[in-house]
């Protein structure tokens, strides 16, 4: 059985024979289709088979992505005791950070404090992050402190630089690699590699379809349940969701193992790498430019991508004893240098580096400036303003935060949930159309022969380039073509054998 046999379409009636039609053979040289008429069969065949074969991976990514979008607000409910405290009476002010950190150290004397996240709004707890040698890489212990009483509200594992808590981290692992490690990451990269191809192919097919009125292009048709009605919903919802799905595919690929490396390399060559903040006080191997300071490189599998998946956050080594102005004076110095967002994270000094105070408000307009402060005297060592990021670095930052549901808060999370739900419905409708059309046959093999060489050759070159840049897309496409060709040869061999036997 070939791939064509899986969806063989009922033959359409050709109508009664015209008795006035002239006898004789048909025109031996029919007009060769041009433009979209020549390209449509190839796009249809690719869209159909990519949908059938890749849809299971897309469905897994969509379901886990829907759960991830909902996990961001769910964490606030599930961990409300750790994240929130009763509103202070009489306008009480928060205690100094030093006292809050001291309370966390008293609760966990075996832990080394690496960072502090003060509450961003009244009623929010302060999160004190501690290194735990027994924890997996990228995992810290978060001690939640009441900023008004210094009482300990609880402890939870904290993952990556985004500070994801256990619920979101587990769902993120399901979305990224199905909890199968590096092998499982191939599933999400394969899904992200094909999502934009399937989405754009569907848009071309839907827009190029003949219809009675333009309204049917944007709004689904009603009527009795049928393949036509299902196609109408599949096409219109796909059209509305296409831009978002392509954006999810592009930002998702930046986390991927193979395509992500290529994307990072291109971004670096174009001068779009994320700038690094230098927090170095004295020369040394632990000087904070990167992992020690929390700065990232912007693309690939680390830097900007920490916190979605395995988490590539590294905790800095606690600084050696010496002169230290303390966390409160370091924050005051950073505030004086322009760090004015209420949402900040303070990375404590590592060997040879100073305090790093970073804005963490990723909602619009994003406030992501950072300042390095000398722990000896409070002098500003370096400043990094988000406004000074290269354009590509800004787009990367915003795209990643939007993919994680952090850029526009609840609106962003609801939009992600809507896109994931739309993708789930598109897959279900696609399989339903396939089922309603059985036994059917998609576009016959050899559709590429109808494409004019002036279009086919550039298309083949572009496909080869994209296949090299997005390796799992290229490899799976080659595998699909090889299997399809092999099954076609087997089918023709069997047909010839049956013909000889019956002849």
């Amino acid at each position: 059985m070939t791939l064509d046999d899986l969806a063989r379409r009922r033959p359409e009636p050709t109508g009664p024979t015209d008795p006035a039609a002239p006898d004789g053979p048909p025109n031996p040289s029919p007009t060769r289709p041009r433009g979209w008429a020549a390209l449509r069969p190839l796009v249809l065949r690719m869209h159909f088979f990519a949908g059938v074969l890749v849809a299971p991976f897309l469905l897994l990514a969509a379901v886990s992505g829907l759960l991830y979008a909902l996990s961001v607000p769910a964490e606030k409910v599930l961990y409300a005791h750790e994240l929130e405290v009763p509103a202070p009476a009489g306008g009480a002010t928060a205690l100094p950070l030093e006292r809050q950190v001291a309370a966390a150290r008293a609760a966990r004397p075996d832990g080394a404090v690496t960072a502090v996240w003060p509450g961003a709004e009244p009623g929010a707890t302060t999160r004190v992050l501690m290194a735990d040698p027994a924890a997996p890489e990228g995992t810290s212990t978060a001690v939640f402190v009441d900023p008004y009483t210094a009482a300990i509200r609880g402890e939870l594992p904290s993952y990556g630089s985004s500070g994801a808590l256990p619920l979101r981290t587990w769902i993120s692992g399901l979305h990224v690699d199905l909890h199968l490690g590096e092998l499982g990451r191939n599933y999400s990269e394969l899904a992200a590699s094909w999502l934009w191809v399937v989405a754009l192919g569907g848009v071309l097919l839907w827009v190029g379809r003949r219809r009675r009125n333009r309204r049917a292009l944007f709004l689904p048709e009603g009527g009795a349940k049928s393949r036509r009605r299902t196609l109408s919903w599949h096409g219109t919802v796909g059209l509305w969701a296409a831009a978002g799905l392509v954006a999810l595919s592009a930002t998702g690929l930046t986390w991927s193992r193979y395509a992500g490396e290529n994307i990072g390399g291109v971004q670096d060559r174009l001068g779009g790498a994320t700038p690094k903040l230098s927090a170095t006080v004295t020369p040394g191997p632990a000087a904070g430019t990167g992992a020690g300071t929390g700065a990232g490189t912007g693309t690939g599998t680390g830097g900007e991508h920490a916190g979605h998946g395995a988490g590539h956050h590294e905790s800095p080594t606690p600084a050696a004893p010496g002169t230290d102005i303390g966390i409160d004076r370091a924050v005051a110095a950073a505030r004086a240098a322009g760090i004015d967002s209420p949402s900040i994270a303070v990375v404590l000094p590592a060997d040879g580096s100073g305090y790093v105070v970073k804005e963490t408000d990723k909602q619009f307009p994003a406030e992501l400036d950072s300042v390095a402060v000398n722990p000896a005297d409070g002098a500003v060592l370096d400043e990094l303003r988000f406004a000074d990021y290269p354009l590509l670095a800004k787009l990367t930052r915003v795209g990643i935060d939007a993919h994680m549901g952090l850029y526009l808060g609840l609106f962003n999370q609801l939009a992600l949930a809507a896109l994931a739900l739309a993708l789930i419905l598109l897959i279900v409708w696609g399989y339903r159309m396939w089922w309603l059309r059985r036994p059917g046959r998609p576009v016959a093999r050899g559709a590429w022969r109808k494409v004019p060489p002036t279009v086919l050759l550039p298309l083949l070159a572009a496909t080869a380039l994209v296949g090299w840049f997005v390796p799992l897309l290229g490899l799976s496409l080659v595998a699909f073509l090889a299997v399809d060709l092999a099954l076609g040869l087997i089918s023709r061999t069997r047909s010839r054998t049956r013909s000889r036997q019956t002849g």
Side-chain angles (χ1 to χ4, degrees), residues 90-458:
T93 58
L95 297 173
L97 290 176
E98 285 287 358
R99 287 188 57 184
Q100 299 180 52
V101 172
R105 284 197 176 105
R108 287 294 302 266
D110 57 333
V113 178
T114 59
V116 179
W117 297 7
E121 55 190 17
T125 57
T126 295
R127 191 180 307 194
V128 180
L129 299 180
M130 293 186 168
D132 185 355
E137 181 183 358
T139 305
S140 302
T141 298
V143 180
F144 297 87
V145 183
D146 186 328
Y148 308 104
T149 65
I152 304 301
R153 300 285 293 181
E155 299 178 10
L156 289 170
S158 178
Y159 303 86
S161 61
S162 68
L165 298 178
L167 174 66
R168 182 153 50 112
T169 301
W170 190 89
I171 296 176
S172 176
L174 181 68
H175 181 64
V176 172
D177 59 17
L178 301 177
H179 295 290
L180 298 176
E182 288 298 318
L183 178 64
R185 290 183 65 187
N186 293 326
Y187 119 82
S188 58
E189 182 167 358
L190 185 66
S193 298
W194 277 98
L195 178 57
W196 67 275
V197 177
V198 176
L200 294 181
V203 168
L204 289 176
L205 292 170
W206 184 245
V207 172
R209 183 180 177 84
R210 293 181 181 179
R211 50 181 51 85
R212 299 173 184 174
N213 55 74
R214 187 170 296 179
R215 177 182 178 277
L217 176 65
F218 301 100
L219 297 176
E221 297 177 339
K225 293 182 179 179
S226 63
R227 182 180 177 276
R228 181 181 181 86
R229 179 183 176 184
T230 304
L231 175 61
S232 177
W233 279 93
H234 183 84
T236 53
V237 172
L239 181 65
W240 286 105
L245 295 178
V246 171
L248 284 179
S249 175
T251 53
L253 283 174
T254 62
W255 276 289
S256 63
R257 180 179 181 182
Y258 303 107
E261 294 180 359
N262 292 335
I263 293 173
V266 170
Q267 185 172 349
D268 291 343
R269 292 187 189 96
L270 294 177
T274 300
K276 297 180 181 180
L277 179 76
S278 174
T280 303
V281 177
T282 56
T289 55
T293 65
T297 58
T299 56
T301 58
E304 300 282 7
H305 309 79
H308 191 33
H312 301 275
H313 170 71
E314 297 181 11
S315 301
T317 303
T323 305
D324 192 332
I325 61 173
I327 187 173
D328 291 287
R329 290 182 61 189
V331 170
R335 295 291 190 194
I339 303 297
D340 53 7
S341 172
S343 300
I344 62 171
V346 184
V347 180
L348 271 62
D351 293 336
S353 66
Y355 287 94
V356 175
V357 184
K358 303 181 291 185
E359 294 179 330
T360 59
D361 186 358
K362 298 178 180 180
Q363 299 192 38
F364 183 83
E367 295 185 79
L368 298 172
D369 297 345
S370 56
V371 168
V373 177
N374 193 326
D377 56 11
V380 173
L381 299 171
D382 193 16
E383 301 179 16
L384 180 58
R385 306 295 174 183
F386 185 67
D388 297 332
Y389 279 32
L391 178 60
L392 281 178
K394 288 181 180 178
L395 294 176
T396 300
R397 178 73 271 166
V398 170
I400 290 170
D401 291 337
H403 189 108
M404 297 176 66
L406 303 176
Y407 179 52
L408 298 174
L410 182 60
F411 174 81
N412 193 168
Q413 294 144 25
L414 293 176
L416 284 177
L419 277 176
L421 182 59
L423 181 55
I424 293 171
L425 292 174
L426 289 171
I427 294 170
V428 172
W429 287 328
Y431 276 120
R432 174 173 169 77
M433 287 189 294
W434 175 33
W435 181 259
L436 291 174
R437 193 169 60 179
R438 74 190 195 288
R441 182 176 62 84
V443 179
R445 289 187 180 87
W448 60 272
R449 298 190 186 97
K450 299 179 181 180
V451 182
T454 53
V455 176
L456 181 61
L457 294 178

